[in-house]
């Protein structure tokens, strides 16, 4: 049977680059599992559109992080929420699968109450770190949750929400398959030259806050490593701004924005400094020794701590999984150029420090694998199982 108008329609929602990649892999896995007997629509970015989804609006409209930063964007985001709810009600899909961006998606779920459309969310919120009340909130609105981390399901199951560990998408992202040799040759970086990967974030706010700290770090780094080349793998919609920022950096800079070149760039680099987030797992997959940094608006941090409290010892997932600081963290007041430059130089100069980090990160990555297959396959199996259950005769359901 080929895809036709009577094939199940799946409405997908992704609101940032990482969710866009997860969504694209999910679409491809669903096509493979069903023999292309599905239709997809919704909200996504470049990767999901390449997989066959025509996005209703650009995901950059809703990709905002931080309590203070979001305020000027509220009218647009609220309008996009209303448009999304209305379109889903018109389309009447067999199922809605939202991916991350829980702030946006939660209001969409609430708007769809009483519609009878099954709601599945992919990427569990980090209730183990802060705001545990979200487990109850998710349980009230969702039919199923797919978790990336093996220890997450119990937090939601005790609230009555079915939750499946499907594995972490970073495992199939290709970060371990880049071609560093070709990248160096293409961009004129000699085999003996020091290449430093710079990843200040995929959101504009992150980029603006971290880029200057990293630039000041680079000024210090080149004093010890004057041959350093700074490589910036970014996303297409930030490439122009990243290129502008890179002009004021010391030494030579290389800016790339395709997904393939991103992983080639990682493999080509000796070390990396990155915004805290999923990119750290990609660097771990690529076996690049690195550190993470993050700086949020001070008022945002104060409000979050006041309202919700934060009891998490580490920010980096590798460190959380291992319960020790294997990936150096430079968060908030420690997000300083002198500290970051010192640690990058240590990673460049001390072989034992590099090898210890690589050994322990491999241990952490092994815990993120599903029982079999790839994470996207596991996620697609959950979605198809739910679709099958919806179409069973009532006698079989009983």
């Amino acid at each position: 049977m080929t895809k036709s108008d009577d094939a199940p329609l799946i409405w997908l929602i992704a609101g940032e680059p990482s969710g866009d990649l997860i969504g694209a892999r999910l679409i491809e896995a669903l096509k493979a599992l069903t023999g292309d007997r599905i239709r997809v629509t919704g909200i996504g970015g470049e990767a999901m559109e390449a997989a066959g989804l025509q996005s209703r609006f650009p995901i950059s409209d809703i990709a905002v992080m931080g309590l203070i930063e979001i305020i000027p964007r509220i009218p647009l985001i609220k309008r996009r929420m209303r448009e999304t709810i209305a379109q889903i009600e018109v389309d009447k899909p067999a199922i809605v699968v939202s991916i991350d961006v829980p702030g946006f998606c939660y209001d969409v779920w609430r708007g769809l109450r009483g519609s009878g459309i099954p709601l599945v969310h992919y990427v569990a919120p980090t209730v183990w770190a802060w705001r545990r009340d979200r487990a109850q909130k998710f349980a009230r609105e969702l039919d199923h949750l797919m978790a990336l981390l093996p220890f997450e399901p119990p937090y939601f199951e005790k609230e009555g929400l079915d939750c499946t560990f499907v594995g972490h998408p970073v495992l199939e992202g290709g970060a371990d398959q880049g071609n560093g040799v070709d990248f160096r040759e293409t961009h004129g970086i000699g085999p003996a030259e020091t290449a430093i990967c710079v990843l200040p974030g995929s959101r504009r706010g992150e980029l603006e806050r971290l880029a200057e700290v990293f630039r000041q770090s680079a000024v210090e780094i080149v004093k010890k490593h004057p041959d350093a080349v700074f490589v910036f793998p970014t996303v297409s919609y930030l490439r122009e701004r990243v290129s502008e920022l890179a002009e004021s950096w010391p030494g030579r800079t290389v800016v790339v924005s395709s997904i393939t070149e991103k992983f080639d760039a990682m493999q080509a680099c000796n070390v990396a400094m990155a915004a805290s987030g999923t990119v750290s797992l990609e660097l771990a997959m690529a076996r690049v020794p690195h550190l993470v940094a993050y700086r949020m608006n001070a008022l945002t941090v104060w409000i979050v701590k006041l309202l919700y409290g934060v009891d998490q010892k580490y920010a980096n997932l590798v460190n959380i999984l291992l319960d020790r600081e294997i990936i150096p963290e430079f968060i908030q007041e420690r997000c300083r150029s002198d500290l970051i430059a010192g640690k990058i130089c240590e990673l460049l100069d001390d072989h034992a420090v590099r090898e210890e980090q690589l050994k322990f990160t491999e241990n952490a990555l092994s815990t993120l694998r599903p029982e079999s297959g790839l994470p996207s396959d596991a996620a697609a199996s959950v979605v198809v199982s739910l679709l099958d259950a919806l179409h069973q005769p009532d006698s079989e359901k009983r």
Side-chain angles (χ1 to χ4, degrees):
M1 179 177 178
T2 58
K3 184 165 60 177
S4 63
D5 289 342
D6 62 354
L9 175 64
I10 300 175
W11 228 96
L12 295 148
I13 303 172
E16 57 182 28
S18 60
D20 179 42
L21 290 173
I22 292 171
R25 294 181 199 124
L26 177 60
I27 292 170
E28 296 296 347
L30 284 165
K31 288 179 179 179
L33 189 59
T34 64
D36 208 22
R37 292 163 49 196
I38 59 160
R39 293 174 294 144
V40 295
T41 190
I43 303 159
E46 295 175 2
M48 290 172 71
E49 290 185 331
L53 179 140
Q54 185 173 355
S55 185
R56 304 285 178 167
F57 57 79
I59 62 172
S60 57
D61 285 0
I62 58 176
V64 186
M65 188 174 185
L67 297 178
I68 303 304
E69 294 83 351
I70 201 173
I71 290 173
R73 302 287 294 279
I74 286 176
L76 174 60
I77 293 170
K78 289 293 186 184
R79 176 162 62 87
R80 292 308 196 189
M81 285 176 183
R82 293 192 296 271
E83 292 171 356
T84 299
I85 293 164
Q87 191 61 55
I88 291 172
E89 289 176 333
V90 168
D91 291 344
K92 294 181 172 56
I95 198 166
V96 172
V97 181
S98 51
I99 304 166
D100 216 351
V101 286
F104 179 86
C105 293
Y106 184 78
D107 282 350
V108 172
W109 305 333
R110 291 180 63 189
L112 292 172
R113 278 183 186 172
S115 67
I117 300 170
L119 304 176
V120 179
H121 191 62
Y122 193 169
V123 183
T126 54
V127 297
W128 39 271
W130 69 301
R131 287 193 60 191
R132 296 196 176 187
D133 62 300
R134 289 178 296 170
Q136 293 179 339
K137 290 177 65 176
F138 274 50
R140 284 196 298 268
E141 308 298 339
L142 292 172
D143 296 287
H144 203 98
L145 179 64
M146 296 189 286
L148 309 189
L149 307 178
F151 57 79
E152 290 180 316
Y155 287 96
F156 302 92
E157 290 168 344
K158 72 178 182 180
E159 303 297 340
L161 175 59
D162 289 336
C163 183
T164 305
F165 166 60
V166 296
H168 203 291
V170 74
L171 299 174
E172 59 183 303
D176 57 340
Q177 298 172 15
N179 191 324
V181 174
D182 281 359
F183 185 91
R184 280 181 173 254
E185 289 179 356
T186 299
H187 295 280
I189 304 171
E193 287 186 284
T194 300
I196 300 173
C197 197
V198 184
L199 296 140
S202 59
R203 299 181 181 92
R204 293 186 187 276
E206 291 176 330
L207 174 64
E208 298 298 336
R209 282 190 296 271
L210 278 180
E212 178 58 19
V213 178
F214 283 174
R215 188 194 70 80
Q216 292 173 12
S217 302
V219 171
E220 297 302 313
I221 291 166
V222 296
K223 292 177 181 177
K224 290 192 68 176
H225 295 273
D227 68 331
V229 178
F230 296 96
V231 179
F232 296 77
T234 188
V235 290
S236 58
Y237 65 83
L238 289 179
R239 178 168 185 149
E240 183 177 352
R241 180 55 180 153
V242 170
S243 297
E244 290 174 358
L245 293 168
E247 289 177 0
S248 64
W249 277 55
R252 189 154 66 89
T253 59
V254 176
V255 180
V256 297
S257 59
S258 75
I259 294 172
T260 301
E261 279 201 295
K262 172 184 178 180
F263 297 143
D264 290 346
M266 287 182 178
Q267 292 278 2
C269 288
N270 302 91
V271 296
M273 46 185 170
S276 181
T278 304
V279 70
S280 176
L281 291 178
E282 292 177 334
L283 289 165
M285 288 285 293
R287 293 184 59 78
V288 181
H290 65 283
L291 59 79
V292 295
Y294 210 80
R295 180 183 288 171
M296 292 179 68
N297 180 286
L299 182 56
T300 296
V301 174
W302 181 80
I303 292 172
V304 168
K305 288 183 177 180
L306 179 67
L307 294 178
Y308 307 116
V310 179
D311 59 1
Q312 190 61 43
K313 192 190 307 184
Y314 302 113
N316 183 271
L317 184 54
V318 169
N319 296 340
I320 291 167
L321 289 166
L322 298 174
D323 195 28
R324 60 181 292 186
E325 189 171 335
I326 293 300
I327 308 297
E329 298 184 2
F330 298 89
I331 312 297
Q332 289 306 101
E333 64 273 4
R334 295 194 73 245
C335 186
R336 291 169 27 195
S337 60
D338 58 330
L339 299 178
I340 292 169
K343 182 56 68 173
I344 287 292
C345 288
E346 181 184 29
L347 288 170
L348 285 170
D349 299 336
D350 194 322
H351 175 79
V353 171
R354 292 196 303 273
E355 288 304 308
E356 180 183 47
Q357 184 180 125
L358 295 175
K359 172 184 147 185
F360 281 102
T361 52
E362 180 59 35
N363 293 340
L365 289 171
S366 68
T367 69
L368 300 178
R369 305 183 190 281
E371 289 186 7
S372 62
L374 298 172
S376 59
D377 296 330
S381 293
V382 170
V383 174
V384 170
S385 294
L386 292 170
L387 287 172
D388 289 345
L390 288 169
H391 291 92
Q392 283 182 0
D394 289 341
S395 59
E396 289 186 33
K397 291 180 183 180
R398 290 194 295 270

